[in-house]
Amino acid sequence: MLEITHMLATDLDGTFVGDTKGLKRLIRYYEKLPYEVTLVYITGRHRDSALSLIKTENLPIPQILVTDVGTTIYEDKNFKPNIEWDEKMKQNWYPESIRKVALEFPQLIPQQLPADRRVSFVIEESGTGSVKGFKEALAEEGIPHKFIFSSGRDIDILPSHSGKGEALRFITENYTSDDTSILVAGDSGNDLEMLTLGYPSVIVANARKELLEMKEHPNLYRATQNCAGGIQQAWQHFYG
Ligand code: GLC
Ligand code: MG
């Protein structure tokens, strides 16, 4: 991989994707810059779902694709999984025990996923009261995990050393230098970790409630425009 001078690490749904015109403008803006902006997509979707979105929305092919809320890192144009990260994800990971605890909470509807990299559920608004109970039950059982609740609807239980923030940290350690200009962009709860690593970050205007309540940090920019328009605003703010 070439040396990365500039990098956009962005969530897809509701952030990079969601406003077609804004995205076209952002891509055109990046094409005109005198340097290359390396794209890293960091999504909650699983691989096939992310690839199908890239295809249907005609998104630029990223240099690195992180799927399943930071539990898999695919590199290069042919999307080979990073083996070191895969091995890390297998340590202290007990999806069966997590599913067993979840059985006590009938409001949790299991998401059908192609692999056991994470255990995810959706919950109806009327059932959100049981989120806390589920969280406590997992902690009581002493099962190592990371608990992520997004958009008042999605619950992702991940290996404890994973998540979008940890994945981004791994990427920056392996691929960037202190001189790389980075922008991190997101709109919902599963983005919180990567938005608080301290890198220049943007919360797009259409962000979910859980991010609007997020603590400020000096490198955090709150865009007034939605989705890709907000990313462009932030890029101009930090690097324009
Ligand atoms: C995406 C994924 C879903 C996940 C959610 C929150 O919508 O498709 O599986 O639970 O993001 O991370
Ligand atoms: Mg999103």
Side-chain angles (χ1 to χ4, degrees):
M1 201 178 287
L2 292 173
E3 197 188 315
I4 298 177
T5 60
H6 296 77
M7 180 173 105
L8 172 68
T10 180
D11 168 53
L12 292 177
D13 297 270
T15 307
F16 197 65
V17 177
D19 170 14
T20 314
K21 277 196 188 142
L23 180 55
K24 271 200 183 132
R25 268 197 302 270
L26 175 68
I27 292 170
R28 234 180 293 130
Y29 169 73
Y30 276 163
E31 280 167 358
K32 284 193 186 139
L33 291 175
Y35 49 81
E36 189 179 341
V37 179
T38 297
L39 291 176
V40 177
Y41 296 160
I42 308 189
T43 175
R45 291 178 179 240
H46 59 76
R47 182 184 189 272
D48 287 354
S49 167
L51 291 180
S52 112
L53 182 75
I54 290 172
K55 203 166 168 195
T56 54
E57 295 290 327
N58 208 5
L59 306 181
I61 303 296
Q63 196 73 42
I64 300 174
L65 172 66
V66 180
T67 67
D68 296 279
V69 206
T71 57
T72 318
I73 299 176
Y74 297 99
E75 297 156 316
D76 302 326
K77 303 279 173 202
N78 44 8
F79 299 121
K80 276 200 311 277
N82 181 294
I83 305 298
E84 189 187 337
W85 189 253
D86 266 10
E87 285 305 317
K88 220 172 143 145
M89 293 301 103
K90 287 181 199 150
Q91 290 159 19
N92 290 321
W93 177 232
Y94 308 100
E96 280 312 325
S97 316
I98 293 164
R99 274 193 277 270
K100 213 157 126 197
V101 174
L103 289 176
E104 296 162 32
F105 301 89
Q107 299 88 343
L108 298 172
I109 306 157
Q111 290 187 26
Q112 300 305 320
L113 296 168
D116 256 355
R117 319 173 174 281
R118 59 178 164 122
V119 180
S120 298
F121 304 88
V122 288
I123 195 152
E124 308 263 331
E125 212 182 326
S126 57
T128 46
S130 52
V131 175
K132 192 165 162 261
F134 180 39
K135 201 173 182 173
E136 284 167 2
L138 287 171
E140 246 165 57
E141 290 292 322
I143 304 168
H145 70 284
K146 183 175 276 182
F147 194 103
I148 313 262
F149 186 39
S150 312
S151 314
R153 184 199 58 207
D154 301 310
I155 300 174
D156 298 303
I157 314 299
L158 315 174
S160 46
H161 34 285
S162 72
K164 290 189 175 191
E166 290 302 320
L168 179 56
R169 207 199 299 270
F170 180 85
I171 290 167
T172 55
E173 274 167 13
N174 283 285
Y175 295 114
T176 67
S177 72
D178 290 347
D179 298 331
T180 308
S181 301
I182 298 174
L183 178 66
V184 185
D187 79 311
S188 85
N190 68 4
D191 302 316
L192 196 125
E193 262 193 358
M194 63 172 183
L195 292 165
T196 49
L197 289 177
Y199 295 115
S201 297
V202 54
I203 296 182
V204 290
N206 55 292
R208 308 288 308 204
K209 195 168 121 247
E210 65 259 21
L211 288 195
L212 298 177
E213 289 162 357
M214 199 177 117
K215 237 178 80 201
E216 302 298 330
H217 71 73
N219 265 344
L220 180 66
Y221 179 82
R222 290 180 189 269
T224 54
Q225 289 189 32
N226 292 347
C227 306
I231 297 178
Q232 188 171 341
Q233 268 188 312
W235 196 274
Q236 282 162 331
H237 168 78
F238 288 112
Y239 306 120

